[in-house]
Each structure stands twice: as C-alpha cells, then as structure tokens.
C-alpha cells in the first residue's frame, strides 16, 4: 500500500486509503490545532501503535518496559492503579483503559511520552529505523486529528502553526541533535516542556540559556574571546567583533537578546534567579510561544551560518 505525506515537507506516515485521498482532494487540511481534548479515535490509535511496538504484556519479553510505563504514570498521578482491571489482566490493559478514560489531557500526553520512551529502549539501537517509523505514524495521527503535539527528540512537543513548526522548530531540533550541541538541545527541549506545562516564565529562561549555549559552542570552536559564564551581550559582541555575524544583522540580534533578557528580569546572575518580590510576574502564553519560535530561528541561523562560514 502506498504511503503519503500529510503536508508538503511533512512525514511519510499513513496509508493512502480512499477516505484519505478523498479528504486530500477536497482540500481538507488541518492548519489550526487544538490541545485540550484528545478524541477517542486518536486515543485508540495511540494504544494500537503502542501495542504493535511493545506487544501484549509478557513478563519475560517486555514486562520491564510495561511496568516502567505504568509505574511511572501511577507515581506521577499519585495513585496505586490507573484503572480497574480484571484479575487475569495485566498492566497493558490497565494502561489502555486509562488512556481511553483519562480526563486530564496533560496526563495523557505524559503517558504517551513515557510509553514512547519505553518503546525506544525496548527496540534498542539495531531497530532505530523502525522506531522512527513508529514516531512518524504517531505524529501523522496527531496531525491528521488536528491535535497540536508531536514526539520529537525524545519528548512530546507542543506545536502551534504547522508551517512555522516545519520550517523553523523542526530544523532547529535536527541541527542541535549533533552531540556538540547537547546542552543546547537539553535547554531548548526543556523550554518546550515548560511551555507545555504552562510554566511560561521558566520557558523564557530556558530559551535564553539555549540561545547563549549555541553561541558559546560556536564561539569556543572559533576561539572567540569568551568565557563559560559570559552573558548573551558579550557573546553577541564577540560574534560581531570576529566578523562571524555581519554588521547588517546586528540590530536583529540585539533585539532578540533584549527580548530574552528583559522578558524575565534578573533571573540569570551567578547566584541564581531573584524572586518576584511583592508583585508576581506574569508571562503571557503568546510571548512564550513567540520566544520559542524566535529562539529556534536564531539557532537555525547560527548553526547553518557556522557551517557555511569558513
């Protein structure tokens, strides 16, 4: 059976059956995503994908992976059992019943993330290609359902606008998967995780760290006069002074630095972040989303520019 790309530049994931061809021909594409309600059909498809990858619970074959999934979610929810199961039924059935009935969308996304981490470990290095295909199918199902999450670089990531995500965020994640950018990857993925959990102020902080870290990696390799604790302002100045960033880009990068540093005042001194004082700070969701995309665009530019510049 033929498989299709859901969108131009998207993943090859789903079988090109009649109903899907009909929707494509009629122009029924999902451009706006929802996040708060995962439909039953998608929940069933997720369960099917997980079972195809792990298999039904078998103490000797996959028992460790299934117990890891269920025990992790139990502990996060603070319960002894996720769902009621029969005497002869195992943790795989407990997981399935829970996915179908869980009301809290964030917990469902957490559960999918944990399950895919278990699948990753279960398959091992020799089946990485198969794991990528499974991730492609999961992401394709989410995309087709119009639910704005995908599994990328080891975690579920929230996406807002497909073109921007495909052209900016995904390339950034691919570029920083290089082992020399490990710190950048950790910080940027943490920013996404915090955003998904509505911790927008902390998400801005991690964006700032990721931006600084990518400059430090490039600067150290190019022998700029920078230290491990230098702030963004000094890192950007070194990039300008070395000729790495051409003069016409200066205003844009100063603007990015200003947004990162002023979005959360005085949070990255050497002794740690300051408190908010008597008036709590509020970072709006749209500002945090903007900064995630702005940081991704800066990462793509810097890493690609580093590759292209002698």
């Amino acid at each position: 059976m033929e498989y299709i790309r859901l969108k131009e530049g998207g993943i090859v994931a789903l079988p090109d059956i009649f109903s899907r061809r009909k929707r494509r021909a009629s122009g029924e594409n999902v451009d706006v995503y929802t996040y708060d309600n995962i439909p039953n059909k998608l929940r069933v498809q997720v369960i099917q994908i997980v079972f195809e990858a792990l298999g039904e619970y078998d103490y000797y074959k996959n028992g460790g992976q299934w117990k890891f999934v269920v025990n992790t979610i139990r502990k996060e929810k603070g319960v002894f059992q996720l769902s009621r199961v029969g005497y002869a039924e195992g943790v795989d059935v407990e997981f399935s019943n829970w996915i179908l009935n869980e009301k809290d969308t964030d917990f469902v996304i957490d559960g999918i993330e944990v399950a895919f981490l278990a699948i990753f470990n279960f398959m091992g290095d020799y089946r990485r290609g198969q794991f990528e295909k499974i991730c492609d199918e999961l992401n394709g199902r989410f995309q087709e359902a119009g639910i704005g999450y995908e599994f990328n670089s080891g975690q579920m990531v929230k996406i807002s606008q497909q073109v921007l995500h495909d052209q900016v965020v995904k390339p950034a994640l691919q570029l920083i998967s290089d082992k020399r950018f490990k710190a950048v990857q950790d910080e940027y993925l943490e920013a996404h995780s915090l955003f998904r959990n509505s911790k927008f102020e902390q998400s801005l902080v991690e964006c700032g760290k990721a931006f600084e870290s990518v400059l430090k990696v490039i600067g150290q390799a190019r022998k700029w006069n920078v230290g491990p604790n230098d702030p963004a302002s000094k890192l950007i100045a070194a990039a300008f002074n070395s000729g790495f960033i051409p003069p016409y880009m200066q205003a844009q990068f100063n603007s990015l630095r200003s947004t990162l540093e002023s979005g959360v005042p005085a949070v990255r001194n050497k002794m740690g972040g300051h408190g908010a004082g008597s008036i709590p700070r509020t970072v709006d969701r749209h500002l945090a989303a903007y900064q995630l995309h702005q940081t991704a665009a800066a990462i793509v530019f810097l890493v690609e520019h580093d590759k292209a510049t002698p």
Side-chain angles (χ1 to χ4, degrees):
M1 180 177 288
E2 293 293 326
Y3 283 72
I4 64 166
R5 295 180 183 273
L6 288 182
K7 288 181 178 289
E8 183 179 356
I11 56 178
V12 179
L14 307 180
D16 196 15
I17 57 178
F18 168 76
S19 60
R20 195 164 285 118
R21 294 195 305 271
K22 182 179 178 181
R23 288 195 298 270
R24 189 168 69 249
S26 66
E28 294 180 23
N29 291 319
V30 175
D31 291 314
V32 178
Y33 291 91
T34 60
Y35 309 94
D36 298 329
N37 182 34
I38 300 178
N40 186 72
K41 176 181 176 180
L42 181 58
R43 293 176 188 238
V44 171
Q45 290 169 334
V46 167
I47 293 168
Q48 291 170 333
I49 293 170
V50 172
F51 269 75
E52 288 169 0
L54 283 181
E56 295 182 1
Y57 174 77
D58 183 310
Y59 178 85
Y60 297 101
K61 181 181 178 182
N62 56 25
Q65 283 75 28
W66 272 116
K67 288 181 178 178
F68 164 76
V69 173
V70 172
N71 287 339
T72 299
I73 303 167
R74 284 174 180 170
K75 187 179 292 185
E76 291 304 312
K77 283 187 64 67
V79 298
F80 291 113
Q81 194 173 40
L82 297 176
S83 63
R84 290 190 176 187
V85 294
Y87 176 77
E89 294 174 321
V91 290
D92 53 348
V93 176
E94 180 181 345
F95 170 81
S96 300
N97 290 344
W98 171 73
I99 285 285
L100 288 173
N101 295 290
E102 174 60 54
K103 304 298 184 185
D104 190 318
T105 297
D106 285 350
F107 274 127
V108 176
I109 298 299
D110 287 343
I112 296 170
E113 180 175 287
V114 173
F116 267 69
L117 292 175
I119 294 169
F120 178 84
N121 291 326
F122 179 66
M123 290 190 159
D125 289 334
Y126 69 98
R127 288 197 288 173
R128 286 293 177 255
Q130 184 178 350
F131 177 73
E132 290 175 2
K133 290 180 180 179
I134 293 170
C135 293
D136 284 351
E137 181 182 354
L138 177 78
N139 294 340
R141 298 291 182 189
F142 266 82
Q143 181 178 325
E144 189 170 59
I147 308 300
Y149 301 94
E150 72 171 17
F151 189 83
N152 198 323
S153 299
Q155 66 177 233
M156 294 296 289
V157 176
K158 191 171 187 176
I159 59 179
S160 55
Q161 205 278 342
Q162 188 63 33
V163 173
L164 186 61
H165 186 75
D166 284 345
Q167 300 301 321
V168 178
V169 176
K170 277 189 176 180
L173 289 170
Q174 291 168 357
L175 289 169
I176 58 180
S177 65
D178 185 316
K179 62 181 180 181
R180 72 184 182 124
F181 293 114
K182 179 65 167 59
V184 183
Q185 183 185 53
D186 290 345
E187 289 156 352
Y188 188 61
L189 286 174
E190 179 65 10
H192 274 276
S193 178
L194 290 165
F195 179 85
R196 180 161 63 84
N197 289 287
S198 299
K199 298 179 179 179
F200 303 133
E201 180 175 335
Q202 296 96 316
S203 179
L204 277 183
V205 175
E206 293 302 318
C207 282
K209 290 180 181 178
F211 177 65
E212 291 179 357
S213 292
V214 74
L215 279 169
K216 287 175 183 176
V217 172
I218 293 171
Q220 289 166 1
R222 290 177 172 268
K223 302 188 184 306
W224 298 345
N225 182 26
V226 296
N229 295 318
D230 285 345
S233 56
K234 188 169 182 178
L235 295 166
I236 293 171
F240 292 153
N241 294 338
S242 68
F244 175 71
I245 296 179
Y248 65 86
M249 294 295 297
Q250 182 169 354
Q252 179 177 343
F253 270 82
N254 277 333
S255 175
L256 173 61
R257 181 196 65 191
S258 176
T259 303
L260 289 167
E261 293 183 342
S262 64
V264 184
V267 292
R268 291 193 309 275
N269 64 23
K270 294 181 181 178
M271 300 301 294
H274 295 297
S278 59
I279 302 176
R281 290 188 296 264
T282 300
V283 175
D284 292 330
R285 180 186 180 280
H286 60 269
L287 173 61
Y290 167 77
Q291 204 52 58
L292 280 172
H293 296 140
Q294 182 93 323
T295 303
I299 288 171
V300 171
F301 170 79
L302 289 167
V303 178
E304 291 286 14
H305 191 56
D306 181 50
K307 290 180 178 181
T309 305

